[in-house]
Amino acid sequence: MKFETLGLSSPILNAITECGYLQLTQVQEKVIPLAFEGKDIMACAQTGTGKTASFALPVLEKLSAENIDKPTLRALVMTPTRELAIQVCENIQKYSQFLPLKTLAVYGGANMNPQRKGVEQGVDILVATPGRLFDIIGQFNLDLSSVTTLVVDEADRMLDLGFVRDIEKVKRLIAPSHQTMLFSATYSDAVKQLAEKMLNEPQWVNVAENTTASTVVQEVYRVDKRRKAELLSELVGRHNWRQVLVFASTKESAEYLLQELKLDGIAAGVFHGDKTQGARNRVLEDFKAGKLRVLVATDVAARGLDIQALPLVINLELPFLAEDYVHRIGRTGRAGLSGRAISFVSPSDDEMLAEIEALIGQTLPVSVAPGYEEGAPLPGRYREAPASTAKVTKWSYKAPKDRAIGKSSGKSRESQAQPRQTPSRAGKYAKDKSAQGANAPAGNGFNQAKPKSPSANRSGFGASRGNKPK
């Protein structure tokens, strides 16, 4: 089905053509007509299937038809993360490039003054994270009474992060007569409960027959927990992978893995909640530009990152919640392109793997990399590092019983990162490998022992290379 059949105005159709869109996706085909009718909508669709356009195009058509001379805030889009706010704002700006409408994103982790000035100068569509939105409301008396369209993107993540009461407060601040649209990539009982509570006679749209895109090939690699970092470096080097998004479960694990990759000469960066927005933007741009081969991220990156034609996602550690697996691998295989997702699984991960397979309705194929078979001799540096015997907490893809709607546990799922010092050393997969030789400066030789890390390996995988026998 083509966009021309929807009755969209010429400026919007021209913008869609500029974006290279040809056919409506399934979610767009079902949501857009309902949105034109002003219905409240609860839509569930796979990540990367065009959810943003499904709500943005009707909103733009509605606002452009109102013929208001100056920018007036009439549509509010709420997102759980900064990255998603930026991405949604950029997409709406593309769709409205031939319209006299202004869209602005406000989010934490960045200077508030430019955002405040942008709001004061006038805006038609505001994309916001809850925290920054209420900062601006509280400090600068932002008036939402003219907002007639409210969109909540990634509703399941909003629920996880305890933002439900913020949404309820927003609904009291906007125009009494308004349209609300909720979008989610997963369709848990908690999300359904949220929709029933906040929507008026909602139209239910569920096009996520499988919760992961069919364009993504998923597989599991069995590996000893202590050797996950080693296996990752070996695979990146052996297959010459150039763009790999790797997920770790904690900030500490992400920082530890970053140092291990650098020691092996692999250009890598890290992306997590302790990084400033500027640092996150820079490392993301370097990754997109091909300056970094590996981007190590926590689940803060699973929502909102849109990396064009990303070929591969690796779960070095499985997530704490099965739903986050869906969002992680949703970074690849987007817009109909093919993708690949590999999960490194040790025996302690089996319960979480079972939860994930139950959620996605699939049994993932399992393989073992040569040399990493169970019972294979461990390299010397691992022999004194016992496998983790920590008790594994079972997580359910259903809402926990003790989580009431609108309440947050208040606990961060990412521990504090404690990056260890990086020795100056070229690794075995460095591009300038041939340059190393007799004339190489002292301290960069391949046979030089790696100095002992100033912090113990507490990442949960790998062994501190400081324990490697001399």
Side-chain angles (χ1 to χ4, degrees):
M1 186 175 177
K2 295 184 177 295
F3 286 92
E4 290 80 359
T5 63
L6 297 174
L8 296 168
S9 61
S10 295
I12 295 179
L13 288 175
N14 291 338
I16 291 171
T17 302
E18 288 286 327
C19 292
Y21 298 171
L22 300 176
Q23 298 282 343
L24 290 165
T25 64
Q26 192 176 7
V27 65
Q28 292 165 357
E29 187 175 334
K30 293 189 175 184
V31 168
I32 292 176
L34 294 173
F36 276 141
E37 296 175 12
K39 304 282 189 181
D40 280 7
I41 298 169
M42 173 67 239
C44 181
Q46 298 163 352
T47 300
T49 56
K51 293 196 297 292
T52 301
S54 68
F55 65 76
L57 299 183
V59 168
L60 292 172
E61 188 70 32
K62 174 185 175 183
L63 299 188
S64 63
E66 293 177 355
N67 292 321
I68 296 179
D69 294 334
K70 63 179 182 179
T72 303
L73 181 55
R74 290 166 284 165
L76 175 62
V77 182
M78 298 183 69
T79 70
T81 65
R82 316 171 203 173
E83 284 68 37
L84 187 55
I86 294 170
Q87 178 193 322
V88 169
C89 181
E90 289 175 349
N91 285 338
I92 296 176
Q93 288 171 342
K94 290 177 184 177
Y95 305 149
S96 61
Q97 58 185 294
F98 302 119
L99 292 171
L101 297 174
K102 185 176 178 181
T103 303
L104 177 70
V106 297
Y107 46 84
N111 191 329
M112 189 188 298
N113 282 331
Q115 299 176 3
R116 173 186 59 81
K117 291 178 181 178
V119 171
E120 290 176 348
Q121 291 169 2
V123 61
D124 297 287
I125 303 172
L126 186 64
V127 184
T129 55
R132 181 51 56 92
L133 175 63
F134 283 103
D135 285 343
I136 295 177
I137 291 174
Q139 297 181 37
F140 306 107
N141 299 316
L142 174 63
D143 184 10
L144 301 182
S145 62
S146 58
V147 172
T148 56
T149 302
L150 173 64
V151 178
V152 179
D153 203 3
E154 302 290 8
D156 53 345
R157 185 66 166 171
M158 288 284 204
L159 184 64
D160 287 341
L161 297 177
F163 289 141
V164 177
R165 290 189 177 180
D166 292 332
I167 301 172
E168 292 174 337
K169 185 175 180 180
V170 166
K171 285 179 71 69
R172 292 193 294 269
L173 295 174
I174 63 178
S177 178
H178 62 267
Q179 179 185 26
T180 304
M181 293 183 277
L182 270 60
F183 290 82
S184 177
T186 55
Y187 211 47
S188 66
D189 291 339
V191 171
K192 294 177 184 177
Q193 184 182 352
L194 175 66
E196 290 170 354
K197 183 177 183 180
M198 295 191 173
L199 304 183
N200 180 32
E201 297 181 356
Q203 301 295 309
W204 300 82
V205 176
N206 184 6
V207 296
E209 297 176 1
N210 297 306
T211 53
T212 55
S214 58
T215 54
V216 179
V217 176
Q218 303 170 64
E219 53 191 311
V220 168
Y221 277 21
R222 283 280 177 187
V223 58
D224 188 296
K225 189 172 186 177
R226 294 165 289 183
R227 301 187 68 187
K228 287 184 176 183
E230 177 191 1
L231 175 59
L232 175 64
S233 290
E234 181 172 327
L235 291 175
V236 170
R238 182 197 306 161
H239 298 291
N240 196 28
W241 288 337
R242 310 307 303 177
Q243 194 177 42
V244 186
L245 178 59
V246 179
F247 282 104
S249 292
T250 67
K251 300 171 188 176
E252 183 181 74
S253 293
E255 291 286 353
Y256 172 82
L257 179 60
L258 175 68
Q259 303 308 324
E260 291 293 300
L261 291 170
K262 287 183 175 180
L263 288 171
D264 284 328
I266 296 173
V270 69
F271 190 106
H272 58 62
D274 274 356
K275 299 295 182 181
T276 65
Q277 190 61 44
R280 287 156 70 166
N281 290 343
R282 286 191 295 272
V283 75
L284 182 58
E285 288 306 312
D286 286 347
F287 183 61
K288 289 180 177 179
K291 296 178 182 179
L292 300 177
R293 297 174 69 180
V294 177
L295 179 61
V296 184
T298 56
D299 285 307
V300 71
R303 315 283 179 120
L305 284 189
D306 189 5
I307 302 167
Q308 187 174 7
L310 178 68
L312 178 61
V313 168
I314 291 181
N315 291 304
L316 195 86
E317 298 172 302
L318 294 182
F320 294 142
L321 294 171
E323 295 99 321
D324 287 337
Y325 173 85
V326 175
H327 291 281
R328 284 183 178 188
I329 72 169
R331 300 310 99 198
T332 185
R334 298 172 70 86
L337 300 176
S338 62
R340 185 181 181 191
I342 299 173
S343 297
F344 289 178
V345 174
S346 62
S348 62
D349 300 318
D350 285 343
E351 286 190 76
M352 190 68 251
L353 178 62
E355 292 281 352
I356 290 170
E357 291 179 332
L359 174 63
I360 65 177
Q362 299 180 45
T363 299
L364 302 181
V366 178
S367 58
V368 180
Y372 292 84
E373 298 86 354
E374 185 177 357
L378 291 175
R381 69 175 180 266
Y382 299 114
R383 291 172 190 158
E384 295 180 2
S388 174
T389 57
K391 182 179 179 181
V392 178
T393 303
K394 183 176 180 181
W395 296 82
S396 172
Y397 60 85
K398 296 182 179 180
K401 294 180 180 179
D402 60 348
R403 179 187 292 151
I405 293 295
K407 295 183 179 180
S408 171
S409 65
K411 295 181 180 179
S412 171
R413 293 185 298 162
E414 299 179 2
S415 62
Q416 293 297 319
Q418 298 185 12
R420 57 179 187 152
Q421 184 177 351
T422 307
S424 174
R425 178 189 184 278
K428 56 187 176 184
Y429 296 120
K431 292 181 181 178
D432 56 346
K433 192 173 181 179
S434 60
Q436 303 293 332
N439 297 325
N444 281 344
F446 284 107
N447 295 324
Q448 180 182 356
K450 298 181 184 179
K452 186 173 290 186
S453 167
S455 62
N457 169 30
R458 293 175 292 169
S459 65
F461 60 84
S464 174
R465 298 192 183 196
N467 294 331
K468 184 176 180 179
K470 296 181 180 179

